[in-house]
Amino acid sequence: MLDAIKFYQTGSNTVGNRLLNPSMRAVQASVDRPNTLISGHRACQGCGEALGARYAIDAAMRATGGQLMIANATGCLEVFSTPYPESAWRLPWIHSLFGNTAAVGSGLAVAARVRAAKAGNTNVPRVIAQGGDGGTTDIGFGPLSGMFERNDDVLYICYDNQAYMNTGVQRSSATPPAARTATTQLVGDEPGADWGKGKNVPLIAMAHGIPYVATASVCDLKDLEYKVEKAMSFHGARYIQILVPCPLGWGCASGNTVSVARLACETGFYPIFEAEYGKITSVRKIRQKQPVINFLKMQRRYAHLTGKKADPKVLARIQALCDDNIKSFDLLGDDIPETMPVPVQAHERSHEV
């Protein structure tokens, strides 16, 4: 008697994994998914941010039983999903300024708790604050740090496309070195974005000792959904940063969004991990290590590093950064890295607000 045929799609670009065992399927595989970001929005074809937002918020809706509110920063996600007077969101959603999303989210969380207490209701709606890397790592960085320091009961999600895409692809503090943007042109001795600048916000979040921090990518739907649902099981400040390639700003084909995101992970360019109370608890291992040139050559923002006039020294520096990530996060080994910073007093944080 032949064994039952098994179908596996976990390594493909297929969304939802409908042929897997029901217990292994993603939220997107179900016809009963919350579908919080509906069709009709005006994102570019292949927009990684639209994918990331739909996946993340649908997972959060399932985790909270639909008891969820969103504070959304100004940026691509806000512009393409809510062109006045329309909205593609099917849940309570509020538009904040570019730089105060974390503060607005904190206010919503407090208001929800007070209102529930007055009504004698123990089922308090949960809150997500979200924005792009510009509104998170730059303009909104102060309120975000304040939200972390106060340990407010908010999950902040940063959709990281590594530049200010909505206003013309200008550099942000999440733009990687040597990348071409409208404000980091290919001039000078080191063309593209400067080296030695920027912020690693996931590690900064860990330094605040908050309950949960994670990075994720649209290339791994199950991992992304798992981390959002896990974040919603905590109370207090939480932070997830999701890599969301931008076909327009990165200069990649709209049909390659997931493939480019996967190469960012498989090269070590974008390490995927999660941490609790300042200590890393797991990392997404690299399945098949790729040279960073395979990632760079799919994007026009790095065309100066892959053409005939490319400087091999710059390419070697980027490869060294990837190799350092692989070593620091132990992306090829079996153990959780022990060398990451553990903030002082991180153990004193509580799950409860």
Side-chain angles (χ1 to χ4, degrees):
M1 182 176 178
L2 294 176
D3 292 335
I5 297 175
K6 297 180 180 181
F7 297 90
Y8 294 99
Q9 298 176 347
T10 52
S12 74
N13 291 345
T14 304
V15 174
N17 310 123
R18 290 179 176 85
L19 296 182
L20 292 174
N21 182 289
S23 64
M24 299 174 63
R25 294 176 189 170
V27 175
Q28 296 299 313
S30 173
V31 295
D32 298 321
R33 68 180 184 272
N35 203 23
T36 48
L37 181 62
I38 60 175
S39 60
H41 62 69
R42 302 179 185 182
C44 298
Q45 186 176 18
C47 173
E49 190 166 31
L51 293 175
R54 190 183 83 196
Y55 300 161
I57 305 306
D58 277 2
M61 284 285 281
R62 184 172 76 171
T64 61
Q67 297 296 304
L68 186 66
M69 299 184 290
I70 301 290
N72 204 133
T74 297
C76 271
L77 181 57
E78 169 264 326
V79 169
F80 73 64
S81 66
T82 58
Y84 183 82
E86 304 166 0
S87 175
W89 295 99
R90 300 206 315 176
L91 79 167
W93 181 97
I94 184 171
H95 171 209
S96 73
L97 299 177
F98 219 142
N100 69 344
T101 318
V104 171
S106 296
L108 286 175
V110 172
R113 189 171 67 225
V114 171
R115 183 174 182 180
K118 288 183 177 181
N121 185 2
T122 58
N123 189 15
V124 182
R126 307 300 298 281
V127 175
I128 288 179
Q130 61 183 13
D133 52 282
T136 303
T137 70
D138 290 342
I139 304 174
F141 187 68
L144 180 67
S145 178
M147 188 199 94
F148 292 160
E149 191 275 330
R150 294 188 301 269
N151 200 30
D152 294 330
D153 191 21
V154 177
L155 167 60
Y156 193 104
I157 299 178
C158 172
Y159 302 104
D160 181 14
N161 55 27
Q162 302 185 334
Y164 286 89
M165 302 306 182
N166 178 55
T167 54
V169 195
Q170 295 89 2
R171 176 198 175 273
S172 77
S173 58
T175 301
R180 179 178 183 173
T181 70
T183 53
T184 56
Q185 292 294 323
L186 305 183
V187 296
D189 296 332
E190 294 187 343
D194 293 338
W195 291 77
K197 294 184 178 180
K199 304 185 187 85
N200 191 323
V201 175
L203 295 187
I204 295 173
M206 287 174 58
H208 286 75
I210 62 176
Y212 188 75
V213 176
T215 59
S217 169
V218 292
C219 77
D220 193 333
L221 178 55
K222 285 290 289 182
D223 178 74
L224 191 160
E225 291 180 344
Y226 155 76
K227 287 172 177 173
V228 171
E229 293 189 12
K230 183 172 181 178
M232 299 312 295
S233 71
F234 287 86
H235 285 275
R238 290 142 288 146
Y239 181 77
I240 297 179
Q241 185 164 300
I242 304 173
L243 181 66
V244 290
C246 172
L248 178 64
W250 290 23
C252 57
S254 59
N256 286 338
T257 300
V258 173
S259 297
V260 172
R262 179 169 292 133
L263 279 171
C265 299
E266 295 298 300
T267 58
F269 188 87
Y270 200 89
I272 304 297
F273 66 91
E274 61 180 341
E276 297 178 22
Y277 303 100
K279 185 175 182 179
I280 288 182
T281 55
S282 72
V283 298
R284 180 185 185 274
K285 300 296 184 177
I286 291 176
R287 297 175 62 186
Q288 184 176 2
K289 184 174 182 286
Q290 299 286 332
V292 75
I293 186 66
N294 291 349
F295 169 68
L296 302 180
K297 67 184 181 182
M298 296 185 71
Q299 310 165 64
R300 286 196 301 275
R301 65 174 179 165
Y302 286 115
H304 58 294
L305 299 181
T306 59
K308 294 182 179 179
K309 297 182 179 180
D311 185 347
K313 294 181 180 179
V314 178
L315 183 60
R317 290 180 71 182
I318 296 179
Q319 183 64 62
L321 288 178
C322 295
D323 293 341
D324 185 62
N325 283 337
I326 291 172
K327 181 179 179 181
S328 297
F329 290 90
D330 197 19
L331 299 180
L332 293 177
D334 298 325
D335 300 323
I336 297 171
E338 298 178 353
T339 58
M340 301 306 296
V342 179
V344 177
Q345 298 180 333
H347 64 282
E348 297 180 2
R349 292 282 187 168
S350 169
H351 285 274
E352 299 300 327
V353 181

Short mmCIF file of all heavy atoms in Angstrom, two decimals, residues 132-145 148 158 160-164 171-177 193-208 213 215 239 241 243 269-271 273 325 329:
data_model
loop_
_atom_site.label_atom_id
_atom_site.label_comp_id
_atom_site.label_asym_id
_atom_site.label_seq_id
_atom_site.Cartn_x
_atom_site.Cartn_y
_atom_site.Cartn_z
N GLY A 132 5.99 53.28 8.23
CA GLY A 132 7.17 52.91 7.47
C GLY A 132 8.44 53.23 8.23
O GLY A 132 8.41 53.76 9.35
N ASP A 133 9.58 52.94 7.62
CA ASP A 133 10.84 53.17 8.32
C ASP A 133 11.11 54.66 8.51
O ASP A 133 11.73 55.05 9.51
CB ASP A 133 12.01 52.52 7.57
CG ASP A 133 12.07 52.89 6.10
OD1 ASP A 133 11.28 52.33 5.32
OD2 ASP A 133 12.90 53.71 5.72
N GLY A 134 10.65 55.53 7.61
CA GLY A 134 10.85 56.96 7.80
C GLY A 134 10.12 57.48 9.02
O GLY A 134 10.68 58.19 9.85
N GLY A 135 8.85 57.10 9.15
CA GLY A 135 8.05 57.53 10.30
C GLY A 135 8.40 56.80 11.58
O GLY A 135 7.93 57.18 12.65
N THR A 136 9.22 55.77 11.49
CA THR A 136 9.59 54.97 12.66
C THR A 136 11.02 55.27 13.12
O THR A 136 11.24 55.68 14.26
CB THR A 136 9.46 53.47 12.34
OG1 THR A 136 8.12 53.18 11.92
CG2 THR A 136 9.81 52.64 13.57
N THR A 137 11.97 55.06 12.24
CA THR A 137 13.37 55.18 12.65
C THR A 137 13.85 56.62 12.66
O THR A 137 14.87 56.92 13.29
CB THR A 137 14.29 54.36 11.71
OG1 THR A 137 14.33 54.98 10.42
CG2 THR A 137 13.77 52.95 11.55
N ASP A 138 13.15 57.52 11.98
CA ASP A 138 13.57 58.92 11.91
C ASP A 138 12.58 59.82 12.64
O ASP A 138 12.76 60.14 13.81
CB ASP A 138 13.67 59.38 10.44
CG ASP A 138 14.84 58.74 9.71
OD1 ASP A 138 15.75 58.23 10.37
OD2 ASP A 138 14.83 58.75 8.47
N ILE A 139 11.52 60.22 11.95
CA ILE A 139 10.62 61.25 12.45
C ILE A 139 9.91 60.84 13.74
O ILE A 139 9.69 61.66 14.62
CB ILE A 139 9.59 61.63 11.36
CG1 ILE A 139 10.30 62.07 10.08
CG2 ILE A 139 8.68 62.74 11.84
CD1 ILE A 139 9.37 62.31 8.92
N GLY A 140 9.56 59.57 13.85
CA GLY A 140 8.82 59.12 15.03
C GLY A 140 9.67 58.43 16.07
O GLY A 140 9.14 57.76 16.96
N PHE A 141 10.98 58.59 16.00
CA PHE A 141 11.87 57.82 16.87
C PHE A 141 11.71 58.19 18.34
O PHE A 141 11.76 57.32 19.22
CB PHE A 141 13.32 58.02 16.41
CG PHE A 141 14.30 57.13 17.12
CD1 PHE A 141 14.28 55.76 16.92
CD2 PHE A 141 15.23 57.66 18.00
CE1 PHE A 141 15.18 54.94 17.57
CE2 PHE A 141 16.13 56.85 18.65
CZ PHE A 141 16.12 55.47 18.43
N GLY A 142 11.52 59.49 18.63
CA GLY A 142 11.38 59.91 20.03
C GLY A 142 10.14 59.33 20.69
O GLY A 142 10.23 58.70 21.76
N PRO A 143 8.94 59.53 20.09
CA PRO A 143 7.74 58.91 20.67
C PRO A 143 7.83 57.39 20.77
O PRO A 143 7.30 56.80 21.71
CB PRO A 143 6.63 59.35 19.70
CG PRO A 143 7.11 60.64 19.14
CD PRO A 143 8.60 60.46 19.00
N LEU A 144 8.52 56.76 19.80
CA LEU A 144 8.66 55.31 19.85
C LEU A 144 9.49 54.89 21.06
O LEU A 144 9.11 53.97 21.80
CB LEU A 144 9.32 54.81 18.56
CG LEU A 144 9.55 53.30 18.46
CD1 LEU A 144 8.21 52.57 18.38
CD2 LEU A 144 10.41 52.96 17.23
N SER A 145 10.60 55.57 21.30
CA SER A 145 11.41 55.27 22.47
C SER A 145 10.64 55.52 23.76
O SER A 145 10.76 54.75 24.71
CB SER A 145 12.69 56.12 22.44
OG SER A 145 13.49 55.88 23.59
N PHE A 148 8.38 52.63 24.36
CA PHE A 148 9.16 51.51 24.90
C PHE A 148 9.47 51.72 26.37
O PHE A 148 9.31 50.83 27.20
CB PHE A 148 10.47 51.35 24.12
CG PHE A 148 10.31 50.89 22.70
CD1 PHE A 148 11.34 51.10 21.79
CD2 PHE A 148 9.16 50.25 22.26
CE1 PHE A 148 11.22 50.67 20.48
CE2 PHE A 148 9.03 49.82 20.95
CZ PHE A 148 10.07 50.04 20.05
N CYS A 158 6.84 48.18 12.19
CA CYS A 158 7.53 49.00 11.19
C CYS A 158 7.62 48.21 9.89
O CYS A 158 8.20 47.11 9.87
CB CYS A 158 8.93 49.38 11.67
SG CYS A 158 9.95 50.19 10.40
N ASP A 160 9.48 48.03 6.81
CA ASP A 160 10.79 48.56 6.45
C ASP A 160 11.06 48.37 4.95
O ASP A 160 11.43 47.28 4.51
CB ASP A 160 11.86 47.85 7.28
CG ASP A 160 13.26 48.34 6.99
OD1 ASP A 160 13.40 49.41 6.36
OD2 ASP A 160 14.22 47.67 7.42
N ASN A 161 10.89 49.44 4.16
CA ASN A 161 11.28 49.39 2.75
C ASN A 161 12.52 50.23 2.48
O ASN A 161 12.88 50.49 1.34
CB ASN A 161 10.12 49.80 1.83
CG ASN A 161 9.55 51.15 2.16
OD1 ASN A 161 10.22 52.02 2.71
ND2 ASN A 161 8.27 51.35 1.83
N GLN A 162 13.16 50.69 3.55
CA GLN A 162 14.52 51.22 3.54
C GLN A 162 14.68 52.57 2.83
O GLN A 162 15.77 52.90 2.38
CB GLN A 162 15.48 50.18 2.95
CG GLN A 162 15.46 48.87 3.73
CD GLN A 162 16.48 47.86 3.27
OE1 GLN A 162 16.91 47.87 2.11
NE2 GLN A 162 16.88 46.96 4.17
N ALA A 163 13.61 53.35 2.80
CA ALA A 163 13.71 54.73 2.28
C ALA A 163 12.34 55.40 2.41
O ALA A 163 11.34 54.74 2.73
CB ALA A 163 14.18 54.77 0.83
N TYR A 164 12.30 56.69 2.16
CA TYR A 164 11.04 57.43 2.13
C TYR A 164 10.42 57.26 0.75
O TYR A 164 10.58 58.11 -0.14
CB TYR A 164 11.29 58.92 2.40
CG TYR A 164 11.62 59.27 3.83
CD1 TYR A 164 12.93 59.25 4.27
CD2 TYR A 164 10.62 59.62 4.73
CE1 TYR A 164 13.25 59.58 5.58
CE2 TYR A 164 10.93 59.95 6.04
CZ TYR A 164 12.25 59.93 6.46
OH TYR A 164 12.55 60.26 7.76
N ARG A 171 16.62 58.98 1.21
CA ARG A 171 17.27 58.14 2.21
C ARG A 171 16.62 58.30 3.57
O ARG A 171 16.25 59.40 3.99
CB ARG A 171 18.76 58.52 2.33
CG ARG A 171 19.49 57.76 3.43
CD ARG A 171 20.80 58.43 3.81
NE ARG A 171 21.42 57.76 4.94
CZ ARG A 171 21.16 58.04 6.22
NH1 ARG A 171 20.29 58.98 6.53
NH2 ARG A 171 21.78 57.38 7.19
N SER A 172 16.49 57.19 4.31
CA SER A 172 16.11 57.21 5.72
C SER A 172 17.25 56.60 6.52
O SER A 172 18.24 56.14 5.95
CB SER A 172 14.82 56.41 5.94
OG SER A 172 15.09 55.01 5.94
N SER A 173 17.10 56.57 7.82
CA SER A 173 18.15 55.95 8.64
C SER A 173 18.10 54.43 8.58
O SER A 173 18.90 53.75 9.23
CB SER A 173 18.04 56.42 10.09
OG SER A 173 16.78 56.10 10.64
N ALA A 174 17.16 53.89 7.80
CA ALA A 174 17.13 52.44 7.55
C ALA A 174 17.69 52.09 6.18
O ALA A 174 17.74 50.92 5.82
CB ALA A 174 15.70 51.92 7.66
N THR A 175 18.12 53.09 5.39
CA THR A 175 18.69 52.84 4.07
C THR A 175 20.06 52.19 4.22
O THR A 175 20.93 52.71 4.93
CB THR A 175 18.82 54.14 3.27
OG1 THR A 175 17.53 54.74 3.13
CG2 THR A 175 19.40 53.88 1.89
N PRO A 176 20.30 51.06 3.58
CA PRO A 176 21.60 50.39 3.72
C PRO A 176 22.69 51.13 2.96
O PRO A 176 22.42 51.90 2.03
CB PRO A 176 21.34 49.01 3.09
CG PRO A 176 20.19 49.20 2.18
CD PRO A 176 19.34 50.28 2.78
N PRO A 177 23.93 50.91 3.34
CA PRO A 177 25.05 51.62 2.70
C PRO A 177 25.16 51.29 1.21
O PRO A 177 24.84 50.18 0.78
CB PRO A 177 26.28 51.13 3.47
CG PRO A 177 25.86 49.84 4.10
CD PRO A 177 24.41 50.00 4.40
N ALA A 193 24.35 55.63 -0.58
CA ALA A 193 24.19 55.97 0.83
C ALA A 193 25.50 55.82 1.60
O ALA A 193 26.30 54.91 1.34
CB ALA A 193 23.11 55.10 1.47
N ASP A 194 25.71 56.72 2.55
CA ASP A 194 26.95 56.72 3.33
C ASP A 194 27.09 55.47 4.18
O ASP A 194 26.11 54.88 4.65
CB ASP A 194 26.98 57.95 4.25
CG ASP A 194 27.09 59.25 3.49
OD1 ASP A 194 27.54 59.21 2.34
OD2 ASP A 194 26.71 60.29 4.05
N TRP A 195 28.33 55.11 4.40
CA TRP A 195 28.64 54.02 5.32
C TRP A 195 28.73 54.57 6.75
O TRP A 195 29.05 55.73 6.95
CB TRP A 195 29.97 53.37 4.94
CG TRP A 195 29.89 52.61 3.65
CD1 TRP A 195 29.88 53.11 2.40
CD2 TRP A 195 29.79 51.19 3.52
NE1 TRP A 195 29.77 52.11 1.47
CE2 TRP A 195 29.74 50.91 2.13
CE3 TRP A 195 29.76 50.13 4.42
CZ2 TRP A 195 29.64 49.61 1.64
CZ3 TRP A 195 29.68 48.84 3.92
CH2 TRP A 195 29.61 48.58 2.55
N GLY A 196 28.43 53.73 7.72
CA GLY A 196 28.57 54.13 9.11
C GLY A 196 27.46 54.99 9.64
O GLY A 196 27.60 55.62 10.69
N LYS A 197 26.33 55.06 8.93
CA LYS A 197 25.19 55.85 9.40
C LYS A 197 23.96 54.94 9.53
O LYS A 197 23.96 53.82 9.04
CB LYS A 197 24.90 57.01 8.44
CG LYS A 197 25.98 58.07 8.38
CD LYS A 197 25.56 59.22 7.48
CE LYS A 197 26.63 60.30 7.45
NZ LYS A 197 26.24 61.43 6.57
N GLY A 198 22.92 55.48 10.16
CA GLY A 198 21.68 54.73 10.28
C GLY A 198 21.48 54.16 11.67
O GLY A 198 22.32 54.31 12.56
N LYS A 199 20.34 53.49 11.84
CA LYS A 199 19.97 52.93 13.14
C LYS A 199 19.51 51.49 12.96
O LYS A 199 18.80 51.17 12.01
CB LYS A 199 18.82 53.71 13.78
CG LYS A 199 19.03 55.19 13.96
CD LYS A 199 17.84 55.77 14.71
CE LYS A 199 17.90 57.29 14.78
NZ LYS A 199 17.32 57.91 13.58
N ASN A 200 19.86 50.64 13.89
CA ASN A 200 19.33 49.29 13.98
C ASN A 200 18.26 49.31 15.06
O ASN A 200 18.53 49.05 16.23
CB ASN A 200 20.44 48.30 14.31
CG ASN A 200 19.98 46.86 14.13
OD1 ASN A 200 18.84 46.52 14.43
ND2 ASN A 200 20.88 46.02 13.64
N VAL A 201 17.03 49.65 14.67
CA VAL A 201 15.97 49.85 15.66
C VAL A 201 15.59 48.58 16.41
O VAL A 201 15.28 48.64 17.60
CB VAL A 201 14.74 50.52 15.01
CG1 VAL A 201 13.58 50.64 16.00
CG2 VAL A 201 15.11 51.90 14.50
N PRO A 202 15.59 47.39 15.79
CA PRO A 202 15.31 46.19 16.60
C PRO A 202 16.26 46.04 17.78
O PRO A 202 15.82 45.70 18.90
CB PRO A 202 15.47 45.05 15.59
CG PRO A 202 15.10 45.66 14.29
CD PRO A 202 15.66 47.05 14.35
N LEU A 203 17.55 46.30 17.58
CA LEU A 203 18.49 46.20 18.70
C LEU A 203 18.29 47.33 19.70
O LEU A 203 18.47 47.13 20.91
CB LEU A 203 19.94 46.21 18.18
CG LEU A 203 20.36 45.02 17.31
CD1 LEU A 203 21.86 45.10 17.04
CD2 LEU A 203 20.01 43.70 17.97
N ILE A 204 17.90 48.51 19.21
CA ILE A 204 17.58 49.62 20.12
C ILE A 204 16.36 49.27 20.96
O ILE A 204 16.31 49.56 22.17
CB ILE A 204 17.36 50.91 19.33
CG1 ILE A 204 18.67 51.34 18.65
CG2 ILE A 204 16.86 52.03 20.24
CD1 ILE A 204 18.51 52.51 17.71
N ALA A 205 15.37 48.66 20.33
CA ALA A 205 14.18 48.24 21.07
C ALA A 205 14.55 47.22 22.14
O ALA A 205 14.06 47.27 23.28
CB ALA A 205 13.15 47.65 20.11
N MET A 206 15.44 46.30 21.80
CA MET A 206 15.89 45.32 22.79
C MET A 206 16.56 45.99 23.97
O MET A 206 16.41 45.56 25.13
CB MET A 206 16.86 44.33 22.14
CG MET A 206 16.23 43.33 21.19
SD MET A 206 17.48 42.34 20.35
CE MET A 206 18.34 41.60 21.74
N ALA A 207 17.30 47.06 23.70
CA ALA A 207 18.02 47.76 24.77
C ALA A 207 17.07 48.41 25.76
O ALA A 207 17.48 48.75 26.88
CB ALA A 207 18.95 48.82 24.18
N HIS A 208 15.80 48.60 25.39
CA HIS A 208 14.79 49.13 26.31
C HIS A 208 14.24 48.04 27.23
O HIS A 208 13.49 48.34 28.17
CB HIS A 208 13.63 49.75 25.54
CG HIS A 208 13.94 51.08 24.91
ND1 HIS A 208 14.71 51.20 23.77
CD2 HIS A 208 13.57 52.34 25.26
CE1 HIS A 208 14.79 52.48 23.44
NE2 HIS A 208 14.13 53.19 24.32
N VAL A 213 10.47 41.67 20.89
CA VAL A 213 11.02 42.32 19.69
C VAL A 213 11.26 41.24 18.65
O VAL A 213 11.73 40.14 18.98
CB VAL A 213 12.35 43.05 19.99
CG1 VAL A 213 12.95 43.63 18.70
CG2 VAL A 213 12.16 44.15 21.02
N THR A 215 12.11 40.60 14.12
CA THR A 215 12.17 41.00 12.72
C THR A 215 11.49 39.90 11.91
O THR A 215 11.45 38.74 12.32
CB THR A 215 13.61 41.20 12.21
OG1 THR A 215 14.34 39.97 12.36
CG2 THR A 215 14.31 42.30 12.99
N TYR A 239 7.66 45.30 19.56
CA TYR A 239 8.12 45.89 18.29
C TYR A 239 8.42 44.79 17.30
O TYR A 239 9.14 43.83 17.61
CB TYR A 239 9.38 46.72 18.52
CG TYR A 239 9.92 47.38 17.27
CD1 TYR A 239 9.33 48.52 16.74
CD2 TYR A 239 11.04 46.85 16.61
CE1 TYR A 239 9.82 49.13 15.60
CE2 TYR A 239 11.54 47.45 15.48
CZ TYR A 239 10.94 48.59 14.97
OH TYR A 239 11.43 49.19 13.84
N GLN A 241 9.66 44.49 13.16
CA GLN A 241 10.11 45.18 11.96
C GLN A 241 10.08 44.19 10.80
O GLN A 241 10.73 43.16 10.84
CB GLN A 241 11.52 45.74 12.14
CG GLN A 241 12.01 46.58 10.98
CD GLN A 241 13.23 47.42 11.35
OE1 GLN A 241 13.17 48.24 12.26
NE2 GLN A 241 14.33 47.19 10.65
N LEU A 243 10.54 43.34 6.75
CA LEU A 243 11.16 43.74 5.49
C LEU A 243 10.12 43.66 4.38
O LEU A 243 9.55 42.60 4.11
CB LEU A 243 12.34 42.83 5.16
CG LEU A 243 13.08 43.18 3.86
CD1 LEU A 243 13.78 44.53 3.98
CD2 LEU A 243 14.10 42.09 3.51
N PHE A 269 21.84 39.53 4.65
CA PHE A 269 21.67 40.97 4.53
C PHE A 269 20.64 41.47 5.55
O PHE A 269 20.79 42.56 6.10
CB PHE A 269 21.22 41.31 3.11
CG PHE A 269 21.17 42.78 2.78
CD1 PHE A 269 22.30 43.43 2.32
CD2 PHE A 269 20.00 43.52 2.93
CE1 PHE A 269 22.27 44.79 2.00
CE2 PHE A 269 19.96 44.86 2.64
CZ PHE A 269 21.10 45.50 2.17
N TYR A 270 19.61 40.67 5.80
CA TYR A 270 18.54 41.06 6.72
C TYR A 270 18.28 39.90 7.68
O TYR A 270 17.51 38.99 7.39
CB TYR A 270 17.27 41.41 5.94
CG TYR A 270 16.28 42.27 6.70
CD1 TYR A 270 16.36 43.65 6.65
CD2 TYR A 270 15.26 41.69 7.47
CE1 TYR A 270 15.45 44.45 7.32
CE2 TYR A 270 14.36 42.48 8.16
CZ TYR A 270 14.46 43.85 8.08
OH TYR A 270 13.55 44.65 8.76
N PRO A 271 18.94 39.87 8.84
CA PRO A 271 18.75 38.76 9.78
C PRO A 271 17.35 38.76 10.39
O PRO A 271 16.82 39.81 10.74
CB PRO A 271 19.82 39.01 10.84
CG PRO A 271 20.14 40.47 10.75
CD PRO A 271 19.92 40.86 9.32
N PHE A 273 15.04 37.38 13.48
CA PHE A 273 15.16 36.84 14.83
C PHE A 273 14.02 37.34 15.70
O PHE A 273 13.24 38.19 15.30
CB PHE A 273 16.51 37.25 15.44
CG PHE A 273 16.65 38.73 15.68
CD1 PHE A 273 16.29 39.30 16.89
CD2 PHE A 273 17.15 39.57 14.69
CE1 PHE A 273 16.42 40.66 17.12
CE2 PHE A 273 17.28 40.93 14.90
CZ PHE A 273 16.91 41.48 16.12
N ASN A 325 26.71 39.58 10.01
CA ASN A 325 25.38 39.26 10.51
C ASN A 325 25.21 37.77 10.73
O ASN A 325 24.66 37.33 11.75
CB ASN A 325 24.31 39.74 9.52
CG ASN A 325 24.06 41.23 9.57
OD1 ASN A 325 24.34 41.88 10.57
ND2 ASN A 325 23.55 41.78 8.48
N PHE A 329 24.54 36.57 14.56
CA PHE A 329 23.24 35.97 14.88
C PHE A 329 23.25 34.45 14.75
O PHE A 329 22.23 33.82 14.96
CB PHE A 329 22.16 36.55 13.97
CG PHE A 329 21.82 38.00 14.25
CD1 PHE A 329 22.50 39.02 13.63
CD2 PHE A 329 20.83 38.32 15.17
CE1 PHE A 329 22.20 40.35 13.89
CE2 PHE A 329 20.52 39.64 15.44
CZ PHE A 329 21.20 40.66 14.80
#
